[in-house]
Amino acid sequence: MINRILTPRELIVGGGSIAQLPALLRRLGVSRPLLVIDPGVLKLGLAEPAIAAMRAAGIDLDIFAGVIEDPTDATVDLAVERIRGSNRDSVIGFGGGSAIDTGKAAAIVASTGEAVHALKVPRIVDLSVMPFIAVPTTAGTGSEVTRACVITDTQRQEKMLILGTAALPAAAIVDFELTLTCPFRVTVDTGLDALTHALEAIINRNCNAHADALASSALALIGAHLETAASEPGNRAAREAMMLGATHAGLAVSNTSTALIHGLSRPIGAFFHVPHGLSNAMLLPLVTAYSLSAAPRQYAAAARALGWAAAGDSDEHAGRALVQGFIGLNARLKVPTPQSFGIDGERYRAVLPEMARQALSSGTPQNNPRVPDSDDIIELYRNAWDGRVPVF
């Protein structure tokens, strides 16, 4: 089998590596970047050392701080206006997944001249675009190393998946010290997003040995350190391990794509503004139980990597342990159900057919070991409402 392996041109990993940003820009041959940043991250001062270093190096920097959670087509258009209006030659996405995805989409649109809506799957956007540099401040989304971004269509209330090399950063700086101020909920939700990436890479119909190795590493790192990072935010060893685990998970899933959990998760986020990692976590035990019989060896491998099953355990035992492990992890990390999150039940039930349509149209459920139809997806959403995990 021939596998196409895609990674950023440069990955700079380690505590304090943000200081390398000016030199990285010079190596990429750019000098007029637009910094796309969440206003909260900017206010916290996390970017100040990087901003000062770039300006001291003579870099002509402009700053766009209009990023919002669940980035939209309208926000991307505003960032594109800044790129074009001030003649930028590159984009830096600094922050969580929303800042990085906004920056990715803006770089693509500014380079190609196409509307963001024209870029969504099933189209694969393998195009040359201006350099994009990712600087994550959370350990979770993996967007700093993936060939994907997600932007909300405000008119259709649909999260659009944009997939292709155009969305792959030219480079990324992965500095765990930028995560030390992440609060509990952000640490948990982004960490569970990374765990989902690793799981969906290892059980994916597109799985391969390269992705398996990275996914296994990610599961081991996240399984051992997520709860510590959440409960002890200043624990540098746990933060560093989570940052590396999230990056490995992103590299793995970028080379397989996501599967059913992400397919079901995006519509929940689009309609009800549930943070992406949290909506993944709401579905994690349920979709695992649903899919288990179709890939027992792969799910057992995930259980062993997480430390929830021993090497000598049967695949059947390990698979059951994985489902129970996810149930227990969600309970300890205070993951709500859609019902306890506060979603209106009548509205939730009313949009189930449209959520199922959007899930299937994203293409990622087809990567799952057990491929659902629309009726299956609606039933999964119904079970997810109050956290039921039936035996399938």
Side-chain angles (χ1 to χ4, degrees):
M1 178 185 293
I2 297 174
N3 301 126
R4 185 183 184 215
I5 307 301
L6 299 169
T7 61
R9 189 185 313 173
E10 281 198 48
L11 276 178
I12 304 174
V13 181
S17 56
I18 188 60
Q20 300 290 315
L21 183 54
L24 173 61
L25 294 172
R26 285 195 295 272
R27 288 195 297 275
L28 292 173
V30 296
S31 59
R32 298 186 310 280
L34 177 69
L35 181 71
V36 175
I37 188 168
D38 179 279
V41 172
L42 184 63
K43 187 176 180 180
L44 283 171
L46 287 178
E48 280 307 313
I51 292 169
M54 285 188 282
R55 287 180 170 155
I59 291 167
D60 176 10
L61 179 69
D62 192 13
I63 299 173
F64 175 81
V67 172
I68 60 172
E69 191 174 337
D70 289 331
T72 67
D73 44 10
T75 307
V76 170
D77 288 344
L78 290 173
V80 170
E81 288 178 14
R82 290 290 289 275
I83 293 170
R84 292 173 174 163
S86 56
N87 193 29
R88 301 293 107 188
D89 63 3
S90 54
V91 176
I92 302 167
F94 195 112
S98 295
I100 294 174
D101 280 8
T102 300
K104 283 185 178 185
I108 298 170
V109 171
S111 298
T112 66
E114 297 185 77
V116 68
H117 309 85
L119 304 171
K120 68 179 183 178
V121 294
R123 181 180 176 187
I124 302 299
V125 191
D126 284 348
L127 300 170
S128 296
V129 299
M130 69 172 59
F132 174 77
I133 301 94
V135 183
T137 59
T138 63
T141 72
S143 191
E144 69 274 9
V145 292
T146 68
R147 59 187 180 103
C149 62
V150 178
I151 302 296
T152 298
D153 181 332
T154 50
Q155 293 298 314
R156 301 185 65 181
Q157 285 190 286
E158 180 175 359
K159 285 197 172 187
M160 303 178 290
L161 175 62
I162 299 170
L163 191 64
T165 55
L168 183 68
I173 292 179
V174 182
D175 184 345
F176 78 88
E177 292 182 356
L178 297 175
T179 72
L180 291 170
T181 58
C182 275
F184 175 85
R185 193 74 259 163
V186 174
T187 298
V188 167
D189 294 349
T190 54
L192 289 170
D193 188 21
L195 191 158
T196 306
H197 291 153
L199 178 71
E200 292 206 308
I202 211 166
I203 58 87
N204 205 287
R205 286 175 174 260
N206 301 315
C207 65
N208 56 73
H210 174 79
D212 282 355
L214 289 162
S216 295
S217 171
L219 289 168
L221 288 164
I222 295 166
H225 296 284
L226 173 55
E227 292 182 78
T228 302
S231 62
E232 303 173 24
N235 189 312
R236 292 174 63 86
R239 290 291 194 181
E240 184 171 23
M242 281 301 302
M243 199 67 158
L244 183 60
T247 299
H248 283 183
L251 287 166
V253 82
S254 186
N255 287 285
T256 62
S257 189
T258 53
L260 182 55
I261 295 171
H262 274 76
L264 297 180
S265 172
R266 293 186 199 99
I268 293 176
F271 278 100
F272 303 108
H273 305 291
V274 179
H276 174 65
L278 187 57
S279 58
N280 278 342
M282 290 174 174
L283 298 158
L284 190 52
L286 173 64
V287 174
T288 300
Y290 170 81
S291 308
L292 196 57
S293 62
R297 179 182 60 80
Q298 293 93 326
Y299 280 107
R304 295 183 186 109
L306 283 162
W308 296 346
D313 291 338
S314 68
D315 288 352
E316 182 181 4
H317 174 85
R320 289 196 302 268
L322 184 65
V323 175
Q324 292 305 312
F326 287 147
I327 292 171
L329 185 65
N330 277 3
R332 293 191 299 276
L333 295 178
K334 301 178 175 61
V335 174
T337 64
Q339 181 181 37
S340 62
F341 184 78
I343 292 173
D344 179 77
E346 185 176 346
R347 171 68 172 155
Y348 184 85
R349 290 186 291 275
V351 298
L352 287 179
E354 175 59 15
M355 288 204 299
R357 185 199 68 78
Q358 290 186 14
L360 286 169
S361 69
S362 75
T364 61
Q366 286 75 16
N367 299 326
N368 205 58
R370 182 179 177 185
V371 179
D373 59 20
S374 181
D375 289 341
D376 293 332
I377 288 177
I378 289 172
E379 187 60 27
L380 285 166
Y381 278 135
R382 286 179 176 142
N383 285 320
W385 169 248
D386 58 5
R388 278 172 290 158
V389 183
V391 176
F392 290 93

